[in-house]
Amino acid sequence: MTVRIVVADDHGIVREGLGALLSARDGYELVGTATTGSEAVRAAVTLKPDVLVMDIQMPDLSGIDATREITKVAPDVAVLMLTMFDDDESVFAAMRAGARGYLLKGAAGDNVLRAITAVAEGEAIFGPGVARRTLAYLSRPRTDEVRFPELTPREREVLALIADGLGNAAIASRLSLAPATIGNHITSIFAKLQVTTRAEAIVRARTTGLGS
């Protein structure tokens, strides 16, 4: 059985390296590549690969957002994250988005192939460092649980102030940041939480205990 694969990464050297790795082994076929998050979603729908290897940092649509969309429009495609990011926020945002595996760039070729095979067969697989991080996170007391792990610490801080009813100018003053910077944070928050209005964001925040 041949595993059909799409590689989504905005760096040509990564796409070429993975292509060479796959072509050198029997049982793997590179059926397409993507250089943006939107292209990755289209490739998942049109090419119907068994596995889509995805970077987190992608143009126009992040790997996290692309993965979330793929799980909706092409649920049979297994997404394997292959990225340089190993922070808690990235790892758990990828898991919440529906990624079945998470490896760090620099993993040995054999480990990448094993991960591709595993997720194609319906397993969940994580590199050793990511697995340790996952176990450490799950073993924390629930009081230490991070709300909205897909957000950065600054974005969570801004969201909490939004939930308190503060406007952009007041938030900028409170955090000693430019209003334009606050606007950028809010745009990112809305995209990550998949809300379109301030009211929706406030509801989401307050259901987790943020805000007064």
Side-chain angles (χ1 to χ4, degrees):
M1 178 180 175
T2 298
V3 180
R4 302 174 70 256
I5 302 148
V6 166
V7 173
D9 198 294
D10 61 335
H11 292 98
I13 191 169
V14 175
R15 297 193 302 274
E16 292 167 7
L18 285 174
L21 174 66
L22 296 170
S23 64
R25 302 293 184 91
D26 293 332
Y28 302 93
E29 180 186 3
L30 180 65
V31 297
T33 60
T35 60
T36 70
S38 296
E39 287 181 7
V41 176
R42 285 196 295 272
V45 173
T46 59
L47 299 177
K48 296 181 173 60
D50 300 303
V51 178
L52 196 148
V53 180
M54 177 93 75
D55 191 6
I56 282 184
Q57 192 168 22
M58 298 281 284
D60 82 28
L61 190 67
S62 75
I64 299 295
D65 291 333
T67 298
R68 187 178 294 112
E69 186 64 20
I70 288 168
T71 60
K72 295 177 183 176
V73 300
D76 292 334
V77 177
V79 176
L80 171 65
M81 288 293 182
L82 183 64
T83 182
M84 295 179 63
F85 295 93
D86 68 344
D87 58 285
D88 285 355
E89 292 173 7
S90 297
V91 172
F92 295 110
M95 294 169 64
R96 286 160 60 93
R100 295 188 195 172
Y102 199 109
L103 286 182
L104 299 181
K105 287 182 177 177
D110 285 344
N111 290 340
V112 174
L113 294 175
R114 278 196 293 270
I116 289 173
T117 301
V119 297
E121 293 175 349
E123 299 178 25
I125 189 164
F126 302 93
V130 175
R132 285 193 295 271
R133 185 181 293 277
T134 303
L135 290 173
Y137 177 85
L138 294 175
S139 66
R140 292 174 186 167
R142 289 192 61 84
T143 55
D144 192 38
E145 186 173 345
V146 176
R147 297 165 181 166
F148 302 111
E150 64 268 43
L151 303 182
T152 67
R154 176 65 81 184
E155 287 168 350
R156 284 195 294 271
E157 193 172 11
V158 171
L159 178 60
L161 294 175
I162 290 174
D164 281 334
L166 274 66
N168 288 18
I171 294 173
S173 176
R174 178 78 63 88
L175 300 180
S176 299
L177 295 173
T181 301
I182 297 302
N184 290 337
H185 282 313
I186 291 174
T187 298
S188 178
I189 291 167
F190 281 19
K192 290 179 179 179
L193 298 186
Q194 297 185 299
V195 299
T196 57
T197 67
R198 206 176 189 91
E200 287 181 89
I202 290 173
V203 170
R204 289 286 306 279
R206 290 185 175 176
T207 56
T208 68
L210 291 179
S212 55

